[in-house]
Amino acid sequence: MRLLPAIRRPFQDICVMVPTYRGEFEPPMIEENKEQEYLKQLLVSDRTATDKALTLMYHNMR
């Protein structure tokens, strides 16, 4: 299988199929309520601001 180069698309067309060696990959849909609850729990935790920022950054990269 030949991998295709990245293609720039309009912002509205977020769900882009990504070719892989195991077939097309479609990321799972994000549940807004779960994300809001995660963010609220992260913000009220006793972690440092740096730890919160890095945790959120890596969470959003998934």
Side-chain angles (χ1 to χ4, degrees):
M1 175 179 188
R2 188 175 136 235
L3 296 179
L4 302 174
I7 300 171
R8 292 205 178 266
R9 303 219 175 181
F11 182 73
Q12 292 83 8
D13 190 15
I14 293 175
C15 186
V16 176
M17 299 297 283
V18 178
T20 67
Y21 291 112
R22 294 185 178 188
E24 300 290 333
F25 172 75
E26 183 176 348
M29 293 298 295
I30 296 173
E31 296 182 31
E32 185 178 349
N33 293 336
K34 287 184 179 181
E35 291 297 311
Q36 288 178 357
E37 185 61 33
Y38 175 79
L39 182 57
K40 287 177 186 176
Q41 289 177 358
L42 180 62
L43 291 175
V44 298
S45 69
D46 59 350
R47 297 171 158 186
T48 65
T50 302
D51 188 21
K52 289 178 186 180
L54 289 172
T55 300
L56 183 60
M57 181 183 69
Y58 282 112
H59 176 77
N60 289 338
M61 288 172 42
R62 63 167 167 76

